[in-house]
Amino acid sequence: MQPSGAKRTVIAAVFTISLIIAGCASTGGVAPQTDGGTNPATLDAGAAIRAADLDAQWPASDWWHAYGDPQLDAWVAAALANSPTLAIAQARVRSAQSLAGVAQADLAPQLKGDLSIERQHWPDNIYYGPGSLANSNTWDNTGALSLSYHLDLWGRDRNAAERALDAAHASAADARAAQLELETNVVRAYIRLSMNYALLDIAESTLDQQRQILALAEHRLKGGLGTQLEVSQADTPIPEYERQVEALQEAIALGQNQLAALAGKGPGAGDAMTRPQLSLAAQASLPSTLPADLLGHRPDVVAARWTVAAQARGIDVAKANFYPNIDLLASLGGFAAAGPLFQFLHASNGGWTAGPAASLPIFDGGRLRAQLGAASAGYDVAVGQYDQTIVNALHQVSDDIVKLRSLSTQTTDAERSVTAARRNYQLATEGYKRGLTDYLNVLTAQSQLLKSQEGVAKIQAEKLAVHAQLVEALGGGLAEPSDGPADADTLPAHGQHGKAAAGTHSASAVAAASVHTAAATAQQ
């Protein structure tokens, strides 16, 4: 007995499902090899961070205002508005957002229209015989609407859209990192400019002092108290001091050019720049939320986390390729040949189609497994880079804190050295005037005074620069807590390593807990 129509349908459906399941390619156990890499909970924040001032207030995103120089504020604003580097970074963000829109569009039904209108001349009856088309002109027109919708049963399109969106987020974080780097570079260049002005003052003062000593030596020689050797000794350093003055003037001009370039302007923009008037009223210390609310919002950390999330979605996309694609297709159109212009629009010339379409991998030579392997390896790389970014962040913050504390002590010592050297120089000069000491004592005292004055200027500039480095290491000020992806979004949706990685991929959160606990202990 022949099976009924219903039974035939069931048999066909079972056979089709069995074929689909059997036809799905095997993943071969390919999966990420990392379980999250270095566990940030094992990272010791170090004594420098634990001993930081827990009650300090950290600046906002416009942190350079702490230096109290309106001219610096204007140059940073000009750089943010005109920098070609930032314009490139922002263009990359727009490009990534557009690509995310392209991937998002695959989730929606696709409707496509086709229209073809052709005028055809048929040859004489050499080929077609004495029929009506011989040596005639006709319209051969078609018009159709095609609708397709991918069911996305395995989440391939959804994960591809999320991967593209994660990449756009990472690009936006990279743009913020470029902005922070530009801000820091402008501040550093401005600090160097300020230091060169201070060194120029010292060099010009030293040159004036040397010329006064030369005049004194010549006066002593005329009075019969000095020698030609003393005059020669006093005159010898003057060309070198003049060279130092010229070199510092050159450095100032080059610094102005550098600031103009950072601001996206021509060199002439720096000509009207006045001498910097820098100070640092804000305390260079750390808030109690370190690093939970700061290191976790560093642009490079945020970008690394979004990259991990994008790679996780890439694994999901690669796994979805092992399963069948099922689409719903429909079309409606009209077709007409050898008729009037609008013949194809007549109902009698129309047709339609509708139904599902499926495609599935059966034998692919290992291509899908290789793609999954590449996606898994890319995920491992992203996790490793994220972990290394956290390690580098803690390293930079600790280094800058150590430098700031050391420079504070060095500033006090250097200022004491200047006071002693100035006193020694005054005594040596006065003794030389009275004929109680020779010129060698004056030369030695002057050299000591010059070095100590230069040391103070360089230490003060270095302290300002390290403060800027610390702000950069902390991410440029407090940010919104929604900067990065959720912990679950940094893990593949499927895979053997999901549970193992869940507790370790959130490096900023775990490292934050470790450091915050240590800081609270130190406070108690």
Side-chain angles (χ1 to χ4, degrees):
M1 182 179 67
Q2 295 293 331
S4 65
K7 289 184 177 180
R8 286 197 299 268
T9 301
V10 171
I11 293 173
V14 171
F15 176 76
T16 301
I17 294 174
S18 300
L19 181 63
I20 288 175
I21 295 175
C24 292
S26 171
T27 62
V30 178
Q33 299 301 308
T34 181
D35 58 355
T38 302
N39 187 346
T42 64
L43 299 177
D44 187 352
I49 294 179
R50 287 195 297 269
D53 185 0
L54 298 180
D55 297 324
Q57 296 298 319
W58 197 247
S61 56
D62 53 350
W63 53 271
W64 54 88
H65 287 291
Y67 293 98
D69 191 332
Q71 184 174 236
L72 172 60
D73 300 341
W75 276 99
V76 174
L80 296 179
N82 303 317
S83 171
T85 301
L86 281 190
I88 293 172
Q90 291 163 359
R92 287 173 177 165
V93 173
R94 295 194 301 273
S95 175
Q97 290 172 339
S98 297
L99 292 176
V102 172
Q104 190 74 20
D106 290 336
L107 296 174
Q110 307 294 311
L111 180 64
K112 183 178 68 173
D114 293 304
L115 177 65
S116 173
I117 299 178
E118 296 180 354
R119 184 70 167 163
Q120 181 175 347
H121 174 75
W122 300 85
D124 207 347
N125 57 6
I126 296 176
Y127 301 103
Y128 297 99
S132 60
L133 295 179
N135 195 27
S136 64
N137 298 319
T138 63
W139 292 99
D140 299 330
N141 303 331
T142 61
L145 291 176
S146 301
L147 175 66
S148 63
Y149 179 63
H150 184 219
L151 295 181
D152 197 26
L153 299 178
W154 324 113
R156 184 188 64 180
D157 292 345
R158 175 178 54 80
N159 284 307
E162 291 181 0
R163 178 179 59 180
L165 187 59
D166 291 343
H169 284 306
S171 181
D174 287 336
R176 170 59 182 144
Q179 177 182 333
L180 178 58
E181 183 180 6
L182 177 63
E183 294 167 357
T184 308
N185 288 340
V186 171
V187 171
R188 287 174 178 168
Y190 198 80
I191 291 172
R192 284 194 298 270
L193 182 65
S194 178
M195 180 188 68
N196 287 329
Y197 269 107
L199 294 176
L200 178 61
D201 288 344
I202 296 171
E204 289 176 341
S205 176
T206 303
L207 178 59
D208 291 339
Q209 291 173 356
Q210 192 61 39
R211 286 171 176 167
Q212 293 173 7
I213 293 173
L214 175 60
L216 177 60
E218 291 174 342
H219 180 73
R220 284 167 52 87
L221 178 62
K222 291 179 181 179
L225 299 176
T227 65
Q228 188 65 44
L229 176 60
E230 292 178 342
V231 174
S232 177
Q233 288 176 327
D235 184 57
T236 299
I238 289 180
E240 173 60 20
Y241 291 151
E242 291 175 340
R243 185 201 65 79
Q244 292 179 11
V245 169
E246 178 60 32
L248 289 169
Q249 290 174 342
E250 174 193 359
I252 289 173
L254 293 178
Q256 292 171 338
N257 287 346
Q258 182 183 13
L259 282 167
L262 288 171
K265 299 180 179 181
D271 294 342
M273 188 181 303
T274 60
R275 179 171 182 158
Q277 302 293 328
L278 288 172
S279 66
L280 186 55
Q283 284 187 318
S285 50
L286 302 174
S288 58
T289 50
L290 176 74
D293 290 340
L294 289 177
L295 291 186
H297 300 294
R298 274 176 52 130
D300 56 345
V301 172
V302 174
R305 278 181 60 78
W306 281 118
T307 300
V308 171
Q311 293 294 340
R313 300 290 74 75
I315 292 176
D316 296 336
V317 171
K319 287 183 176 180
N321 288 331
F322 285 80
Y323 299 95
N325 281 327
I326 300 178
D327 298 288
L328 297 180
L329 304 178
S331 66
L332 174 66
F335 315 90
L341 176 61
F342 298 104
Q343 183 69 28
F344 74 103
L345 297 178
H346 292 179
S348 58
N349 294 330
W352 59 270
T353 61
S359 63
L360 66 158
I362 299 177
F363 301 110
D364 66 346
R367 177 178 58 84
L368 293 179
R369 281 193 295 273
Q371 290 176 346
L372 179 58
S376 299
Y379 178 80
D380 292 340
V381 170
V383 170
Q385 290 175 339
Y386 175 68
D387 289 340
Q388 187 60 54
T389 302
I390 291 292
V391 172
N392 292 342
L394 290 171
H395 176 206
Q396 292 169 7
V397 171
S398 181
D399 281 358
D400 291 335
I401 294 172
V402 170
K403 289 178 182 178
L404 279 176
R405 288 180 177 161
S406 176
L407 288 170
S408 296
T409 303
Q410 291 180 47
T411 300
T412 302
D413 295 338
E415 290 173 347
R416 290 171 50 217
S417 176
V418 169
T419 301
R422 181 176 290 110
R423 176 63 176 167
N424 188 37
Y425 174 73
Q426 291 171 349
L427 291 174
T429 304
E430 187 65 24
Y432 180 64
K433 288 180 180 179
R434 298 180 180 184
L436 301 177
T437 60
D438 58 18
Y439 176 72
L440 181 59
N441 292 327
V442 176
L443 181 62
T444 302
Q446 184 187 53
S447 177
Q448 292 174 344
L449 177 59
L450 175 61
K451 289 181 180 178
S452 60
Q453 288 175 327
E454 290 178 343
V456 169
K458 291 179 179 178
I459 289 173
Q460 290 175 342
E462 180 67 12
K463 187 176 180 180
L464 296 176
V466 172
H467 178 268
Q469 290 174 197
L470 179 57
V471 175
E472 182 181 23
L474 293 171
L478 294 173
E480 292 296 327
S482 59
D483 281 341
D487 292 345
D489 293 336
T490 62
L491 303 174
H494 309 284
Q496 300 174 355
H497 296 274
K499 291 186 178 179
T504 54
H505 284 172
S506 180
S508 64
V510 181
S514 174
V515 177
H516 190 62
T517 301
T521 302
Q523 187 181 32
Q524 294 174 355

